[in-house]
Amino acid sequence: MDGLLSLASQLMRQAECMSLFRKVMDSVGWLLRAHTQLTTQVLTSVHYEQIQMCDDVTVCLLCVQLWIQTCTASSDFLTGLSDDSVLLLLNEAVSQLAVSSDSAVGGASIKLILLMASQLDLRLHPLLLQFGGLDSLLDKDWRGRGFDQDVDQLIALIQSSRGRKSQSQVSTEHVRAACVIQAAWRSYQTRRRVKSLNRAVGTLQRRYRTRRRQQQQQQEAQQWEEELKYQVCVRRQQARREFHQKQRQLLQLLPPDQVQSYLQECERRAAVVVQSFWRGFRERRRYKDTRHTLRHTRAQQQAARILQRAVQRFLQKRRAAKCPPVTPFWIGQKGLTDSRRAELQRQVDEYITAHPSSRVSPEECERLHKEAQQLLLTELQRAEQQRREEQRLEALLAHTHTQLEMLRDAPPLSVVTATDADSFLSPSGPIAVRARDAHNALLQANRMPWWRTLGDMVDNFSPALLEELEAELGGLYVGGSQGVSRYTEVDGINL
């Protein structure tokens, strides 16, 4: 592009090369239509400025026609340019109107400005306002040249741009007034906020101090709980250590041949306790699963019965609707005639004659009737007894389930009340006596010395030996091994 413009500026100075200059400018226009981004480089080129400063009418007309042809060939040419490039192009057209006095150049410049206005629309209005006095220049210098219609159209365009400018100025004033109102309102709100700031700061500080006090209390409670757990663990270890030391000291008092058997017995009892706890846990969990399964199965069975009942009722109604009603045999008969009665009597006599039966005495019939009545009464009594047994069994099962629910939902002994304890008492006298005797027997067995729990071995001891052991060992109880903790009582003192 620089080479073409340099060549055009050199050909411009030679009058005999005007045709070549026209060809070079056509090449520039063709290159601009293919590459729009070169427009800014052309308008700002030094060589193009030299071409614009030429006083030759033909050169000025060729420059204006170059831009007219480029804008006409491509409708998107001007929309792709920046505001600076559009302003440079508009400046060239206005300068031709101000400098040149040739009608062809003036008409081409006015046509170029109108073409730019048709393609850029509102984008060109603020740019036209930068050229003050353009409408008066057009009205004074370019009327009566054969293109008055274009001049009037351009003047109307410039005046409409000024009207839009006044509207924009009014809207700008409105915006400024709105900003002033908003600033006043915000300053008023800020002053009110500053006045209430002391109260808000006091509330904020009070809430912060309360929250910090709560956090400190929670930390202190957590520390105290951890310290308590640590102390409990330490004391438990100390008690276990002291218990094992005393256990070793007390084991030295036993005869050597009884130590091993006694330790085995303690291990067996510890294993029984562990197994009982585990089996109890397992059975409770199994019972819970079984109860859930039974409840689910019962719900399924009830739902199945409801569905079956509904289906059977539906099928019965459907069969009844399909089958035609049966007309009773007596409907439509007015009565028996003498001839019909005689015919029926004759048929009965013939049947009796053809099927003679053995003679049965009235006593035999009465005896058979009594036997049938007795069998029927026995069967009814058996059914009634079976029904009562089933009701009693259902009542016992319901009572058992209720007691199991009460035992499972029973509160711990630490919070139990007299009302809760009375709810577990049996209304039956023999059951209460039996339970009291079993409880007393268990308490007596727990109070017995450890050596009385050895079983058959103690039964073989003589009374003198029993008194001697009682005097020597007293309430000594040593039990457990391998980490099993026990309570030990020596001379009435609980260890």
Side-chain angles (χ1 to χ4, degrees):
M1 181 61 72
D2 289 338
L4 288 174
L5 293 176
S6 177
L7 179 59
S9 64
Q10 294 178 8
L11 294 174
M12 175 190 65
R13 299 184 183 95
Q14 300 177 9
E16 66 275 5
C17 298
M18 190 55 63
S19 60
L20 297 177
F21 174 76
R22 185 179 288 106
K23 290 183 180 180
V24 172
M25 294 304 292
D26 292 340
S27 301
V28 171
W30 176 82
L31 191 59
L32 283 174
R33 287 191 294 272
H35 303 281
T36 310
Q37 66 274 13
L38 298 176
T39 305
T40 305
Q41 186 175 357
V42 173
L43 294 173
T44 58
S45 176
V46 179
H47 304 293
Y48 187 73
E49 291 179 357
Q50 294 176 1
I51 296 173
Q52 283 181 332
M53 289 186 294
C54 182
D55 296 334
D56 191 358
V57 177
T58 306
V59 174
C60 296
L61 183 60
L62 286 175
C63 292
V64 177
Q65 289 178 353
L66 166 68
W67 295 111
I68 293 174
Q69 293 175 1
T70 304
C71 296
T72 306
S74 176
S75 59
D76 298 335
F77 174 75
L78 293 175
T79 57
L81 298 180
S82 62
D83 292 341
D84 295 337
S85 300
V86 174
L87 183 59
L88 291 175
L89 186 57
L90 186 62
N91 188 16
E92 180 182 355
V94 174
S95 63
Q96 293 294 340
L97 289 173
V99 174
S100 179
S101 60
D102 186 70
S103 300
V105 176
S109 300
I110 293 173
K111 185 178 179 181
L112 176 60
I113 296 174
L114 293 175
L115 183 60
M116 294 174 64
S118 63
Q119 292 187 5
L120 296 177
D121 199 7
L122 298 177
R123 185 180 171 188
L124 189 66
H125 292 293
L127 299 178
L128 283 174
L129 295 176
Q130 297 183 13
F131 301 95
L134 180 60
D135 53 347
S136 61
L137 175 66
L138 292 172
D139 187 39
K140 184 174 63 175
D141 295 341
W142 295 101
R143 282 191 179 277
R145 301 289 186 95
F147 44 86
D148 292 342
Q149 186 177 0
D150 295 340
V151 173
D152 294 338
Q153 187 177 357
L154 183 55
I155 292 174
L157 179 63
I158 295 172
Q159 291 176 355
S160 64
S161 300
R162 289 178 181 174
R164 287 197 178 95
K165 179 181 180 182
S166 61
Q167 293 178 2
S168 62
Q169 288 177 354
V170 172
S171 62
T172 304
E173 292 177 357
H174 289 172
V175 171
R176 188 180 298 107
C179 292
V180 171
I181 295 173
Q182 289 178 0
W185 169 248
R186 288 170 183 170
S187 62
Y188 170 72
Q189 283 186 333
T190 304
R191 286 193 296 272
R192 288 188 57 185
R193 194 180 298 112
V194 169
K195 288 181 181 179
S196 62
L197 185 61
N198 295 329
R199 185 170 60 254
V201 169
T203 304
L204 181 62
Q205 290 178 352
R206 184 166 56 255
R207 290 183 180 178
Y208 173 73
R209 290 168 184 169
T210 304
R211 182 174 180 82
R212 185 175 62 181
R213 191 183 307 111
Q214 292 177 357
Q215 290 179 354
Q216 290 178 356
Q217 291 177 358
Q218 291 178 359
Q219 291 178 359
E220 291 177 358
Q222 186 177 2
Q223 291 178 359
W224 182 82
E225 186 177 358
E226 292 177 355
E227 183 67 22
L228 181 61
K229 290 181 180 179
Y230 177 73
Q231 291 293 336
V232 169
C233 293
V234 170
R235 292 178 183 178
R236 200 174 280 171
Q237 291 178 359
Q238 292 177 356
R240 189 180 295 111
R241 190 180 297 110
E242 293 176 359
F243 169 74
H244 286 301
Q245 291 178 359
K246 292 181 180 180
Q247 186 180 17
R248 284 193 296 269
Q249 293 176 2
L250 294 174
L251 284 175
Q252 295 177 1
L253 302 177
L254 289 175
D257 55 345
Q258 297 180 5
V259 173
Q260 189 65 26
S261 61
Y262 175 72
L263 293 178
Q264 291 178 358
E265 180 66 19
C266 292
E267 290 179 359
R268 187 187 67 80
R269 291 186 179 182
V272 169
V273 171
V274 173
Q275 290 177 359
S276 64
F277 274 99
W278 163 248
R279 289 170 182 168
F281 169 74
R282 185 181 60 186
E283 292 299 326
R284 284 192 297 271
R285 186 174 62 182
R286 185 181 301 170
Y287 171 72
K288 187 182 296 184
D289 297 340
T290 305
R291 187 182 61 178
H292 178 70
T293 305
L294 289 175
R295 187 180 303 171
H296 184 64
T297 305
R298 193 176 303 165
Q300 288 183 348
Q301 292 177 355
Q302 186 176 1
R305 285 194 294 269
I306 293 173
L307 292 175
Q308 290 176 358
R309 193 181 302 116
V311 171
Q312 290 175 359
R313 190 179 296 112
F314 170 74
L315 293 177
Q316 185 177 4
K317 290 181 179 179
R318 190 172 180 181
R319 294 192 192 99
K322 288 183 178 180
C323 296
V326 179
T327 305
F329 67 92
W330 64 83
I331 295 178
Q333 298 181 4
K334 298 181 180 180
L336 293 176
T337 59
D338 293 338
S339 59
R340 179 63 177 168
R341 186 180 296 107
E343 184 181 357
L344 292 176
Q345 186 65 36
R346 183 178 56 79
Q347 291 179 359
V348 170
D349 294 340
E350 291 177 358
Y351 181 82
I352 292 174
T353 304
H355 302 83
S357 60
S358 59
R359 296 289 180 175
V360 182
S361 63
E363 293 80 5
E364 186 68 19
C365 290
E366 185 177 0
R367 185 182 63 79
L368 293 175
H369 179 70
K370 288 182 179 180
E371 289 180 358
Q373 290 291 335
Q374 188 67 25
L375 291 175
L376 181 61
L377 180 62
T378 304
E379 183 64 24
L380 291 176
Q381 290 178 353
R382 187 182 64 80
E384 182 67 19
Q385 184 177 3
Q386 184 178 2
R387 186 180 62 81
R388 291 179 180 178
E389 187 66 23
E390 291 178 355
Q391 291 180 354
R392 190 178 69 84
L393 181 59
E394 291 180 356
L396 288 177
L397 287 175
H399 183 64
T400 304
H401 288 305
T402 304
Q403 290 181 346
L404 288 175
E405 293 287 342
M406 292 175 61
L407 288 174
R408 187 176 66 254
D409 299 336
L413 295 178
S414 59
V415 297
V416 73
T417 60
T419 306
D420 298 333
D422 293 340
S423 63
F424 291 96
L425 296 179
S426 175
S428 176
I431 293 176
V433 172
R434 177 64 178 171
R436 190 180 299 107
D437 293 342
H439 181 66
N440 293 333
L442 181 61
L443 292 177
Q444 291 178 2
N446 291 335
R447 294 193 187 98
M448 293 176 60
W450 65 270
W451 49 271
R452 285 187 178 274
T453 60
L454 297 178
D456 297 338
M457 186 184 299
V458 180
D459 297 338
N460 298 327
F461 290 169
S462 61
L465 181 57
L466 292 175
E467 293 178 359
E468 183 179 356
L469 289 174
E470 182 70 27
E472 180 179 358
L473 301 178
L476 177 64
Y477 175 73
V478 180
S481 63
Q482 297 180 359
V484 182
S485 300
R486 298 289 185 183
Y487 289 101
T488 307
E489 182 180 351
V490 177
D491 296 336
I493 301 175
N494 291 328
L495 301 179

